[in-house]
Amino acid sequence: MTALPRPLSRLARLRQSDLWWSFTHNRGAMAAAGLLLVLILSAFTAPLYVPQNPFDPAQLDLLNAEYPPIWAEGGQWPYILGTDTQGRDILSAILYGSRISILIGLASVVLALVVGIGTGLVAGYYGGLIENLLMRFGDILLSIPTILIAILVSAIVRELLPPALREVGAGGVLVLAIVLSGWVQYARTVRAQTAVERGKEYVQAAQLLKVPARRIMFRHILPNTLTPILVAATLNFGMAILTEATLSFLGIGMPASQPSLGTLIRLGNQFLFSGMWWITVFPVLQLCLLVVAVNILGDWLRDALNPKLR
Protein backbone atom coordinates (compact mmCIF):
# COMPACT_ATOMS: atom_id res chain seq x y z
CA MET A 1 0.00 0.00 0.00
CA THR A 2 1.45 3.35 -1.07
CA ALA A 3 2.04 5.77 1.77
CA LEU A 4 0.48 9.21 1.54
CA PRO A 5 2.76 12.25 1.17
CA ARG A 6 3.54 13.85 4.50
CA PRO A 7 1.22 16.90 4.11
CA LEU A 8 -1.69 14.64 3.06
CA SER A 9 -0.91 12.23 5.90
CA ARG A 10 -1.04 15.06 8.43
CA LEU A 11 -4.31 16.30 6.93
CA ALA A 12 -5.78 12.80 7.17
CA ARG A 13 -4.74 12.54 10.83
CA LEU A 14 -6.27 15.95 11.52
CA ARG A 15 -9.60 14.90 10.01
CA GLN A 16 -9.61 11.83 12.27
CA SER A 17 -8.72 13.76 15.42
CA ASP A 18 -10.99 14.70 18.32
CA LEU A 19 -10.25 18.36 17.62
CA TRP A 20 -11.68 18.14 14.09
CA TRP A 21 -14.73 16.24 15.34
CA SER A 22 -15.32 18.91 17.98
CA PHE A 23 -14.99 21.67 15.38
CA THR A 24 -17.36 20.09 12.85
CA HIS A 25 -19.96 19.47 15.56
CA ASN A 26 -19.85 23.01 16.94
CA ARG A 27 -21.95 25.33 14.80
CA GLY A 28 -20.77 28.42 16.62
CA ALA A 29 -17.11 27.61 15.97
CA MET A 30 -17.76 26.83 12.31
CA ALA A 31 -19.73 30.05 11.84
CA ALA A 32 -17.00 32.08 13.57
CA ALA A 33 -14.28 30.44 11.47
CA GLY A 34 -16.22 31.13 8.29
CA LEU A 35 -16.83 34.75 9.28
CA LEU A 36 -13.17 35.27 10.22
CA LEU A 37 -12.04 33.72 6.93
CA VAL A 38 -14.34 36.04 4.96
CA LEU A 39 -13.13 39.11 6.87
CA ILE A 40 -9.46 38.25 6.37
CA LEU A 41 -9.80 37.33 2.69
CA SER A 42 -11.85 40.42 1.92
CA ALA A 43 -9.27 42.63 3.65
CA PHE A 44 -6.25 41.19 1.84
CA THR A 45 -7.90 40.98 -1.57
CA ALA A 46 -9.44 44.47 -1.33
CA PRO A 47 -7.19 46.05 -4.01
CA LEU A 48 -8.77 43.71 -6.57
CA TYR A 49 -12.30 45.08 -6.29
CA VAL A 50 -12.63 48.24 -4.18
CA PRO A 51 -13.15 51.54 -6.08
CA GLN A 52 -10.08 53.32 -4.68
CA ASN A 53 -6.95 53.07 -2.56
CA PRO A 54 -7.89 55.15 0.51
CA PHE A 55 -4.20 55.62 1.36
CA ASP A 56 -3.47 57.38 -1.95
CA PRO A 57 -4.38 61.10 -1.75
CA ALA A 58 -4.34 61.31 -5.55
CA GLN A 59 -7.41 59.05 -5.69
CA LEU A 60 -9.46 61.16 -3.26
CA ASP A 61 -11.85 63.76 -4.67
CA LEU A 62 -13.62 66.31 -2.48
CA LEU A 63 -16.44 66.41 -5.01
CA ASN A 64 -17.31 62.85 -3.88
CA ALA A 65 -17.25 63.71 -0.17
CA GLU A 66 -20.01 63.04 2.34
CA TYR A 67 -22.04 60.64 0.19
CA PRO A 68 -24.39 58.47 2.31
CA PRO A 69 -24.64 54.68 1.81
CA ILE A 70 -25.96 53.66 -1.57
CA TRP A 71 -29.38 52.62 -0.23
CA ALA A 72 -29.96 56.05 1.34
CA GLU A 73 -31.12 59.14 -0.47
CA GLY A 74 -28.17 60.80 -2.17
CA GLY A 75 -26.03 57.66 -2.27
CA GLN A 76 -24.02 57.02 -5.43
CA TRP A 77 -22.34 54.04 -7.02
CA PRO A 78 -19.68 52.71 -6.47
CA TYR A 79 -19.55 54.08 -2.91
CA ILE A 80 -21.65 51.31 -1.34
CA LEU A 81 -21.12 52.43 2.27
CA GLY A 82 -20.75 56.12 1.46
CA THR A 83 -17.75 58.43 1.70
CA ASP A 84 -16.18 60.59 4.40
CA THR A 85 -15.42 64.31 4.41
CA GLN A 86 -12.30 63.81 2.25
CA GLY A 87 -14.02 61.74 -0.42
CA ARG A 88 -12.56 58.50 0.92
CA ASP A 89 -14.73 55.45 0.17
CA ILE A 90 -15.80 53.97 3.51
CA LEU A 91 -15.80 50.35 2.29
CA SER A 92 -12.29 50.73 0.88
CA ALA A 93 -11.07 52.40 4.08
CA ILE A 94 -12.60 49.65 6.24
CA LEU A 95 -11.01 46.83 4.26
CA TYR A 96 -7.59 48.50 4.08
CA GLY A 97 -7.87 49.43 7.76
CA SER A 98 -8.82 45.86 8.68
CA ARG A 99 -5.67 44.64 6.99
CA ILE A 100 -3.55 46.94 9.16
CA SER A 101 -5.38 45.93 12.35
CA ILE A 102 -5.03 42.21 11.56
CA LEU A 103 -1.33 42.49 10.74
CA ILE A 104 -0.56 44.48 13.89
CA GLY A 105 -2.58 42.06 16.03
CA LEU A 106 -0.91 39.01 14.48
CA ALA A 107 2.61 40.43 14.69
CA SER A 108 2.17 41.46 18.32
CA VAL A 109 0.83 38.03 19.33
CA VAL A 110 3.65 36.19 17.55
CA LEU A 111 6.36 38.38 19.10
CA ALA A 112 4.75 38.17 22.53
CA LEU A 113 4.68 34.38 22.14
CA VAL A 114 8.38 34.26 21.29
CA VAL A 115 9.37 36.46 24.24
CA GLY A 116 6.95 34.84 26.68
CA ILE A 117 7.75 31.25 25.77
CA GLY A 118 11.50 31.83 25.90
CA THR A 119 11.29 33.63 29.24
CA GLY A 120 8.94 31.04 30.73
CA LEU A 121 11.10 28.11 29.66
CA VAL A 122 14.27 29.64 31.11
CA ALA A 123 12.56 30.62 34.37
CA GLY A 124 10.83 27.26 34.84
CA TYR A 125 13.82 25.12 33.88
CA TYR A 126 16.55 26.85 35.86
CA GLY A 127 14.47 28.16 38.77
CA GLY A 128 16.15 29.94 41.65
CA LEU A 129 17.39 33.50 41.23
CA ILE A 130 16.79 33.54 37.47
CA GLU A 131 13.15 32.57 37.95
CA ASN A 132 12.63 35.14 40.71
CA LEU A 133 14.14 37.99 38.70
CA LEU A 134 12.19 37.23 35.52
CA MET A 135 8.88 36.57 37.23
CA ARG A 136 9.09 39.57 39.57
CA PHE A 137 9.71 41.78 36.55
CA GLY A 138 6.64 40.24 34.98
CA ASP A 139 4.64 40.82 38.16
CA ILE A 140 5.57 44.50 38.06
CA LEU A 141 4.24 44.75 34.51
CA LEU A 142 1.06 42.90 35.48
CA SER A 143 0.43 45.41 38.27
CA ILE A 144 0.14 48.17 35.66
CA PRO A 145 -2.98 48.18 33.43
CA THR A 146 -2.23 46.85 29.96
CA ILE A 147 -3.63 49.86 28.15
CA LEU A 148 -1.57 52.22 30.32
CA ILE A 149 1.66 50.37 29.47
CA ALA A 150 0.79 50.51 25.80
CA ILE A 151 0.00 54.24 25.99
CA LEU A 152 3.26 55.04 27.83
CA VAL A 153 5.44 52.97 25.51
CA SER A 154 3.75 54.28 22.39
CA ALA A 155 4.03 57.91 23.52
CA ILE A 156 7.70 57.60 24.59
CA VAL A 157 8.88 55.81 21.45
CA ARG A 158 7.01 58.22 19.18
CA GLU A 159 8.71 61.15 20.90
CA LEU A 160 12.13 59.54 20.47
CA LEU A 161 11.61 59.00 16.74
CA PRO A 162 12.36 61.82 14.28
CA PRO A 163 9.18 63.53 13.00
CA ALA A 164 9.72 62.08 9.51
CA LEU A 165 9.66 58.52 10.87
CA ARG A 166 6.69 58.80 13.22
CA GLU A 167 4.05 57.96 10.66
CA VAL A 168 6.21 55.35 8.92
CA GLY A 169 7.05 53.59 12.18
CA ALA A 170 3.60 53.89 13.78
CA GLY A 171 2.77 50.24 13.16
CA GLY A 172 6.03 49.02 14.66
CA VAL A 173 5.54 51.22 17.71
CA LEU A 174 2.08 49.74 18.25
CA VAL A 175 3.43 46.20 17.97
CA LEU A 176 6.19 46.98 20.49
CA ALA A 177 3.71 48.53 22.91
CA ILE A 178 1.35 45.55 22.76
CA VAL A 179 4.20 43.02 23.06
CA LEU A 180 5.66 44.65 26.16
CA SER A 181 2.30 44.41 27.90
CA GLY A 182 1.33 40.98 26.58
CA TRP A 183 4.30 38.60 26.94
CA VAL A 184 3.89 38.12 30.70
CA GLN A 185 0.81 35.92 30.45
CA TYR A 186 2.61 33.46 28.18
CA ALA A 187 5.71 33.49 30.39
CA ARG A 188 3.76 32.70 33.55
CA THR A 189 1.85 29.88 31.87
CA VAL A 190 4.97 28.30 30.35
CA ARG A 191 6.96 28.70 33.57
CA ALA A 192 4.32 26.83 35.57
CA GLN A 193 4.13 24.01 33.02
CA THR A 194 7.92 23.81 32.72
CA ALA A 195 8.36 23.59 36.49
CA VAL A 196 6.05 20.55 36.50
CA GLU A 197 7.65 18.87 33.48
CA ARG A 198 11.18 19.47 34.81
CA GLY A 199 10.70 16.87 37.52
CA LYS A 200 9.40 14.12 35.25
CA GLU A 201 11.42 11.06 34.27
CA TYR A 202 11.88 11.86 30.58
CA VAL A 203 13.54 15.19 31.45
CA GLN A 204 15.74 13.57 34.10
CA ALA A 205 16.75 10.87 31.60
CA ALA A 206 17.70 13.52 29.03
CA GLN A 207 19.76 15.32 31.68
CA LEU A 208 21.60 12.09 32.56
CA LEU A 209 22.40 11.62 28.87
CA LYS A 210 23.98 15.11 28.86
CA VAL A 211 21.44 16.49 26.40
CA PRO A 212 21.94 20.29 26.14
CA ALA A 213 19.50 22.31 28.23
CA ARG A 214 18.32 24.26 25.19
CA ARG A 215 17.39 21.05 23.40
CA ILE A 216 15.56 19.72 26.47
CA MET A 217 13.56 22.92 26.82
CA PHE A 218 12.55 23.38 23.19
CA ARG A 219 12.44 19.77 21.97
CA HIS A 220 11.02 17.93 24.97
CA ILE A 221 9.33 20.34 27.40
CA LEU A 222 7.85 22.95 25.03
CA PRO A 223 5.52 20.56 23.12
CA ASN A 224 3.90 19.59 26.44
CA THR A 225 3.10 23.22 27.28
CA LEU A 226 1.52 24.31 23.98
CA THR A 227 -2.15 23.58 24.72
CA PRO A 228 -2.82 26.50 27.12
CA ILE A 229 -0.52 28.72 25.05
CA LEU A 230 -2.53 28.16 21.86
CA VAL A 231 -5.75 29.04 23.66
CA ALA A 232 -4.24 32.18 25.20
CA ALA A 233 -2.75 33.26 21.87
CA THR A 234 -6.10 32.91 20.10
CA LEU A 235 -7.93 34.98 22.69
CA ASN A 236 -5.11 37.55 22.87
CA PHE A 237 -5.25 38.03 19.11
CA GLY A 238 -8.65 39.64 19.51
CA MET A 239 -7.42 41.61 22.51
CA ALA A 240 -4.42 42.88 20.53
CA ILE A 241 -6.72 44.13 17.77
CA LEU A 242 -8.82 45.93 20.39
CA THR A 243 -5.73 47.42 22.02
CA GLU A 244 -4.51 48.72 18.66
CA ALA A 245 -7.94 50.19 17.96
CA THR A 246 -8.00 51.84 21.39
CA LEU A 247 -4.57 53.43 20.94
CA SER A 248 -5.45 54.62 17.45
CA PHE A 249 -8.75 56.03 18.73
CA LEU A 250 -6.83 57.97 21.39
CA GLY A 251 -4.62 59.47 18.68
CA ILE A 252 -1.35 57.66 19.49
CA GLY A 253 -1.74 54.81 17.01
CA MET A 254 -1.96 54.71 13.24
CA PRO A 255 -2.00 58.12 11.51
CA ALA A 256 -4.89 59.48 9.46
CA SER A 257 -2.89 58.93 6.27
CA GLN A 258 -2.87 55.15 6.94
CA PRO A 259 -5.95 54.62 9.09
CA SER A 260 -6.64 51.39 10.91
CA LEU A 261 -10.11 50.59 12.22
CA GLY A 262 -9.42 52.55 15.41
CA THR A 263 -8.26 55.58 13.44
CA LEU A 264 -11.36 55.44 11.24
CA ILE A 265 -13.58 55.38 14.32
CA ARG A 266 -11.72 58.36 15.78
CA LEU A 267 -11.98 60.37 12.56
CA GLY A 268 -15.68 59.64 12.19
CA ASN A 269 -16.58 60.13 15.84
CA GLN A 270 -16.80 63.92 15.46
CA PHE A 271 -19.42 63.50 12.73
CA LEU A 272 -21.52 60.86 14.51
CA PHE A 273 -24.25 63.29 15.60
CA SER A 274 -24.04 65.58 12.58
CA GLY A 275 -25.91 63.22 10.26
CA MET A 276 -22.88 61.36 8.80
CA TRP A 277 -23.28 58.34 11.04
CA TRP A 278 -21.90 55.90 8.47
CA ILE A 279 -18.34 57.20 8.88
CA THR A 280 -18.21 55.73 12.40
CA VAL A 281 -20.85 53.00 12.51
CA PHE A 282 -19.48 50.74 9.76
CA PRO A 283 -15.87 50.64 11.07
CA VAL A 284 -17.27 49.86 14.54
CA LEU A 285 -19.33 46.98 13.11
CA GLN A 286 -16.27 45.60 11.29
CA LEU A 287 -14.19 45.76 14.47
CA CYS A 288 -16.92 44.04 16.49
CA LEU A 289 -17.34 41.24 13.94
CA LEU A 290 -13.60 40.64 13.80
CA VAL A 291 -13.10 40.48 17.57
CA VAL A 292 -16.26 38.45 18.25
CA ALA A 293 -15.27 35.84 15.64
CA VAL A 294 -11.79 35.48 17.18
CA ASN A 295 -13.19 35.22 20.72
CA ILE A 296 -15.73 32.55 19.76
CA LEU A 297 -12.96 30.50 18.17
CA GLY A 298 -10.82 30.97 21.27
CA ASP A 299 -13.62 29.81 23.56
CA TRP A 300 -14.21 26.74 21.40
CA LEU A 301 -10.49 25.91 21.32
CA ARG A 302 -10.27 26.23 25.11
CA ASP A 303 -13.14 23.78 25.58
CA ALA A 304 -11.96 21.41 22.84
CA LEU A 305 -8.45 21.11 24.29
CA ASN A 306 -9.66 20.64 27.85
CA PRO A 307 -9.70 16.86 28.57
CA LYS A 308 -12.14 17.34 31.46
CA LEU A 309 -14.80 18.61 29.02
CA ARG A 310 -14.44 15.86 26.42
Side-chain angles (χ1 to χ4, degrees), residues 150-167 169-170 173 176 251-252:
I151 290 174
L152 291 175
V153 171
S154 180
I156 293 173
V157 174
R158 284 173 62 88
E159 287 299 321
L160 294 177
L161 289 175
L165 296 179
R166 289 178 184 176
E167 289 192 0
V173 172
L176 176 62
I252 54 176

Side-chain angles (χ1 to χ4, degrees), residues 32-54:
L35 175 60
L36 185 61
L37 182 62
V38 169
L39 294 175
I40 292 176
L41 288 179
S42 62
F44 285 90
T45 59
L48 299 178
Y49 59 87
V50 294
Q52 64 179 210
N53 179 357

Side-chain angles (χ1 to χ4, degrees), residues 66 105 142 204 208 277 283 297:
E66 301 181 10
L142 284 180
Q204 295 175 354
L208 290 175
W277 52 268
L297 278 178

Side-chain angles (χ1 to χ4, degrees), residues 195-273:
V196 173
E197 298 295 323
R198 182 182 59 187
K200 293 186 177 180
E201 294 179 353
Y202 74 93
V203 174
Q204 295 175 354
Q207 292 172 338
L208 290 175
L209 293 173
K210 304 299 182 181
V211 177
R214 184 176 61 181
R215 183 178 178 87
I216 294 176
M217 286 188 288
F218 288 96
R219 189 71 178 268
H220 300 287
I221 296 179
L222 179 59
N224 294 316
T225 66
L226 287 181
T227 296
I229 290 300
L230 289 177
V231 175
T234 304
L235 293 173
N236 285 344
F237 177 50
M239 184 59 65
I241 293 175
L242 277 180
T243 302
E244 181 278 324
T246 302
L247 293 174
S248 296
F249 181 81
L250 294 175
I252 54 176
M254 296 303 297
S257 59
Q258 293 183 327
S260 65
L261 291 177
T263 309
L264 291 174
I265 296 171
R266 173 174 61 85
L267 295 175
N269 186 56
Q270 55 186 321
F271 305 106
L272 181 60
F273 298 106

Side-chain angles (χ1 to χ4, degrees), residues 54-65:
F55 298 163
D56 185 3
Q59 298 187 28
L60 305 183
D61 189 351
L62 291 177
L63 296 177
N64 297 325

